[in-house]
Amino acid sequence: MVEWHPSKYSRAQLEERRLAATPWLQKGKHSQQEIAQHFGVSVHTVSNWKKRLKRTGS
């Protein structure tokens, strides 16, 4: 469950959240829906993170 939901995130906060989700994506133990719920984002965002991880490795 997401504990904090500001109305706007800074670029640094957005990047920190994406990087925090990286191990979840790499391990493959959680569905995109589970990751989205945990990090407070849409499934579409998780899909974009996954594509970026595959493309760039980070």
Side-chain angles (χ1 to χ4, degrees), residues 44-57:
H44 179 74
T45 296
V46 174
S47 178
N48 287 339
W49 289 348
K50 189 173 182 178
K51 288 176 191 173
R52 179 177 176 170
L53 181 61
K54 186 175 180 179
R55 189 177 68 246
T56 67

Side-chain angles (χ1 to χ4, degrees), residues 1-55:
M1 178 170 189
V2 177
E3 296 177 14
W4 178 61
H5 262 307
S7 58
K8 286 191 170 187
Y9 285 103
S10 69
R11 288 181 78 78
Q13 289 170 317
L14 293 170
E15 182 66 0
E16 184 177 345
R17 180 171 58 178
R18 184 186 67 79
L19 292 173
T22 297
W24 288 55
L25 290 165
Q26 291 173 324
K27 290 178 185 174
K29 294 182 179 181
H30 301 281
S31 69
Q32 288 188 14
Q33 179 66 39
E34 290 171 323
I35 296 170
Q37 288 176 343
H38 181 81
F39 289 97
V41 297
S42 69
V43 173
H44 179 74
T45 296
V46 174
S47 178
N48 287 339
W49 289 348
K50 189 173 182 178
K51 288 176 191 173
R52 179 177 176 170
L53 181 61
K54 186 175 180 179
R55 189 177 68 246

